[in-house]
Amino acid sequence: MTVALSGCGSSPGSGDVTLKLVAADYDVAGGQSSKKYWADLATEFESKNPGIKIDVQIESWNDVDRKVAEMVKAGKAPDIAQIGAYADYAAAGKLYSADQLLSIPEQANFLTPLTDAGEVKGVQYGLPFVASTRLLFYNKKLFKEAGIKAGPTTWDDLRKDAEKLKARTDAKYPFALPLGPEEAQAETMMWLLSGGDGYTDPVGNYSIDSAQNIATFTWLKTNLVDAELTGPVAPAKLNRKDAFAAFTRGEVGMLNGHPSLMQAAEKANVEVGKVAMPGSGGKPKATMGVADWIMGFKQNGHQAEAGKFLDFVFSDKNVLDFAGQNDLLPVTISASEAMEKDPEHQDLKKFLEELPTAVLPPVGKTSWAAVSENIKKNVGRAVEPEGVPSSVLGKIGQEANAAENAE
C-alpha cells in the first residue's frame, strides 16, 4: 500500500522538498498500526517543518527489502528506507553515514551494541530503528506439573528440567529446538553465545567452527537431541514459527523466545516464565540482540532534510510509541530508561535488561546474507543421528571465510 501523507511533489519555485520513505509493516494482525504511526508522525513533522513533505510507502516484511532493492537498481532510490539490512548499500557507497544525518546528541544516544552493529569498516551507516533480545521461555503450568520450581540457570539444569518434563508431563516438546530453514541462524547464535563464543572472533573474523562452538553443538546433540528431549519433529525440520505455535498451544516446555511470542502465549492463556538464556556453567556474558534498520540514501541529495526528519524520528516520544505498540525495544539510551521505569511495560523489563550487553549478528558484513542462508539450510544437520558437529560447522565456517574473502 502506498500512503500519500501530504500534497506530495514540489510546487514550481516553492523550494519544497518531498522525502520518499519506504517502511516495513509491523502489524502482524494485518491492521493499520504501522500506516497510522507513520501518517501521524509525518503530519506532525510537516507542521513543524514547512517546506519538507513526507511521502510514505508501507510494504509488508515479505516484500520491503526486495522493493527497495528494485528502486535502487532502477535509479529511483528512496530518500529513507526502514528495512532489514543496510550493509550492501553502505559498501556500494549509496548511503549517508550517521554523522552526515543525525545531530551529535541523537547519534550518541544509540545503545552501544546497536551502534556497533550498524557499522561497516568502522563507520556507522545503519541506524537502528527497533530492537529485540531473546530469553528462555518456559510454560509455568508444565513446570509445576513436573515439580520444577524455577527456570534453569545452567545447561545442566536445562537438561534435567527437560528430562522431568518428558517423564512427568504430556509436553510434546520438552525443549523445542528450531534449527529448520526459517530462522536457524538465530537459534544457532543464541546457543553459540551461551557456550561462550559466537559467529565472529574479537576482531570480527568468522569463527563458526571454533572449538567452543563445536563443543556447544556436541552438547546439544548428545544431551538434548539424542536423548529425545526435543520433540517429535527433528530440529533440522522444525521452523521457529511452528515451534512458537506449539508453545501457544501448551505443547512446549521450554524454548528461546522474543517479546511477540510472550504476547501471543498470554493471549492463548499460556502462563509464561522468562529467564536469561542459561550458559554452560551459568549466565553467559551476552545474549543475542536483533535490530531492524533505517538509512538515508544519497541519490536525491536531500541530506539536510533527511537528517532533520531522522532526528525527529529518534525523539523519545516517537521511539517509545513505535516500540511500545509493537512489543519491541527502543534503540536509544534515554527511551530505554523511560520504558524501564514505565509500569505499563514491566513485561518487557527482562528483555530490556539484556539489551545493553547483547551481541547482534554480523550484519555489517556484506557476506552475512549468504552465510546466514547457508546456516539456515545446513546447521540442523549437525544434530541429526549421523551428524558430526565438527564436520558440519567446519564446512559452514570454510564457506563463510570464502564468502568474506571474495568481497
Side-chain angles (χ1 to χ4, degrees), residues 1 7 29 35 50 80 97 100 110 163 195 200-201 210 227 236 254 273 356 367 383:
M1 67 188 98
K35 176 181 173 183
I80 298 168
S97 60
Q100 290 174 315
F110 291 127
E163 288 171 348
T200 56
D201 65 20
S210 72
M254 297 176 279
S367 61
V383 297

Side-chain angles (χ1 to χ4, degrees), residues 321-340:
D321 281 352
F322 194 87
Q325 76 183 24
N326 290 287
D327 296 315
L328 292 165
L329 305 182
V331 295
T332 62
I333 296 166
S334 54
S336 292
E337 289 171 350
M339 180 179 271
E340 199 163 356

Side-chain angles (χ1 to χ4, degrees), residues 161-205:
D161 290 347
E163 288 171 348
K164 290 175 184 174
L165 287 160
K166 182 180 180 182
R168 302 176 185 175
T169 76
D170 58 0
K172 290 185 181 177
Y173 300 83
F175 186 93
L177 183 66
L179 294 175
E182 180 198 347
E183 215 200 12
Q185 87 290 353
E187 184 73 18
T188 297
M189 184 169 176
M190 285 180 257
W191 279 99
L192 299 187
L193 289 170
S194 73
D197 203 349
Y199 283 134
T200 56
D201 65 20
V203 293
N205 297 317

Side-chain angles (χ1 to χ4, degrees), residues 111-114 131-137 152 190 193-194 256-259 274-279 282-290 329-330 336 339-340 346-360:
L111 289 156
T112 301
L114 305 179
S132 177
T133 54
R134 301 291 188 263
L135 295 172
L136 183 81
F137 286 24
M190 285 180 257
L193 289 170
S194 73
N256 289 312
H258 57 50
K274 303 183 292 290
V275 292
M277 174 70 178
K283 187 177 178 186
K285 286 186 290 187
T287 188
M288 186 182 79
V290 178
L329 305 182
S336 292
M339 180 179 271
E340 199 163 356
Q346 283 308 292
D347 54 352
L348 293 173
K349 190 171 181 183
K350 280 189 179 293
F351 295 97
L352 280 166
E353 287 170 359
E354 298 297 320
L355 188 56
T357 58
V359 174
L360 278 74

Side-chain angles (χ1 to χ4, degrees), residues 266-317:
E266 287 171 357
K267 283 178 186 170
N269 296 316
V270 174
E271 198 175 356
V272 182
K274 303 183 292 290
V275 292
M277 174 70 178
S280 53
K283 187 177 178 186
K285 286 186 290 187
T287 188
M288 186 182 79
V290 178
D292 298 325
W293 305 95
I294 192 164
M295 61 213 70
F297 282 86
K298 291 179 178 178
Q299 184 183 313
N300 303 318
H302 295 152
Q303 177 183 347
E305 295 85 1
K308 188 173 280 193
F309 178 67
L310 286 166
D311 266 351
F312 181 69
V313 166
F314 287 114
S315 67
D316 280 359
K317 177 186 178 299

